[in-house]
Amino acid sequence: MRRFEEGFAGHLASGATTLAWCWKIVRSNGVVLGFTDHDIKLAFGGVDYGPAHGLDGGETVQRLGAQTQTSEVLGVLHAEAISEDDIALGRYDGARVESWRVNWREPGERALIRIDTIGEITREDGVFRAELRSGQHAMNVPRGRLYQHVCDARLGDGRCGVDLGQAGYRAEVTVVDKIDAASVELSGLEGFAAGWFGQGVAKWTSGKRAGIEDIVARQEGARLSFGRPVADWVEVGDTLTVYAGCDKQFATCGGKFGNAVNFQGFPHIPGNDFVLRYPGSGDRLDGGRIVP
């Protein structure tokens, strides 16, 4: 049974409540936004909760055990707060949402009802619908490592150890043309080997996509193709930093980065063909390495 602080519990027991919902959204880049379904601004905890006309919380189904609880928030897009571009660009993906029940006459009397993360967001005709996933959703995320041929580290992270800040592994480039929905032509890639940035990462440093990372699907000369459409939010003159790509193979780790000692895969494990084959009289059974 949920227990509330004395002041809030007393308000609920009074029989004549003045309650409102407040939502605190914390995006992955640290931006904090506050909204309420009340018609005046409320403030508590250092956050202002502005009226969001048309914002409404859906019903929540309580489940037993470790099942993920889901609910939703439905609202009208407001250009000054939540824009359609920000949603389409993924700025709200995985954002933390705190749902508060507040006595709007005395905001000090309140209770934190739920803490969720934003899952799928759909938008249509100026209205957005955001799925809220409970903390149990984290239990659906794979943990641990798999024994596999390819590396499971991210290029440049602590397990990999490659310093992507080195001049040879990064380039500051500028958009000079938009080719199609997912491809742009850039200046600043001269002097790098063909395909050097394929399967790498691009971090936008100006324009509408500033602060967003995109996966580079492939590089063809001065043209980069990304893993998702970017053209609608990119203009000629926008700048970005691109980092060398890695296909997670052992040969690439040693040949391209000189980092074979830190390879985080298992390139010498037997494949399915070896596991399923029949034993033969000529097989070597001396305990030595079976994969060259």
Side-chain angles (χ1 to χ4, degrees), residues 148-212:
Q148 56 186 356
H149 288 268
V150 297
C151 178
D152 63 357
R154 177 174 178 175
L155 181 63
D157 70 10
R159 292 194 297 135
C160 169
V162 171
D163 181 8
L164 292 178
Q166 298 181 63
Y169 295 148
R170 59 180 290 176
E172 309 290 338
V173 297
T174 304
V175 176
V176 297
D177 193 14
K178 295 190 288 186
I179 307 302
D180 56 38
S183 302
V184 297
E185 187 170 346
L186 304 161
S187 64
L189 293 178
E190 301 81 6
F192 291 94
W196 187 257
F197 296 101
Q199 301 184 56
V201 173
K203 296 182 179 180
W204 297 86
T205 53
S206 70
K208 290 183 177 180
R209 298 189 72 82
I212 293 177

Side-chain angles (χ1 to χ4, degrees), residues 43-168:
F44 57 87
V47 178
D48 291 334
Y49 295 82
H53 305 294
L55 188 67
D56 186 27
E59 294 183 353
T60 301
V61 178
Q62 297 289 335
R63 295 184 172 90
L64 297 176
Q67 298 183 68
T68 301
Q69 299 176 15
T70 59
S71 60
E72 66 179 19
V73 171
L74 176 69
V76 179
L77 291 167
H78 295 276
E80 68 275 12
I82 299 179
S83 70
E84 189 163 4
D85 275 349
D86 282 343
I87 292 176
L89 288 169
R91 298 189 190 277
Y92 288 91
D93 293 351
R96 172 189 168 102
V97 180
E98 297 179 3
S99 298
W100 291 83
R101 200 64 165 147
V102 182
N103 175 5
W104 55 263
R105 289 187 181 274
E106 179 49 65
E109 298 175 353
R110 62 183 184 271
L112 177 60
I113 304 301
R114 292 172 56 88
I115 298 178
D116 304 281
T117 56
I118 292 181
E120 181 181 3
I121 301 180
T122 57
R123 57 201 184 281
E124 182 179 359
D125 298 329
V127 175
F128 73 90
R129 187 187 303 271
E131 177 192 24
L132 302 182
R133 297 172 177 169
S134 66
Q136 287 94 328
H137 176 69
M139 301 181 68
N140 294 328
V141 178
R143 302 291 183 182
R145 301 182 60 191
L146 297 176
Y147 286 96
Q148 56 186 356
H149 288 268
V150 297
C151 178
D152 63 357
R154 177 174 178 175
L155 181 63
D157 70 10
R159 292 194 297 135
C160 169
V162 171
D163 181 8
L164 292 178
Q166 298 181 63

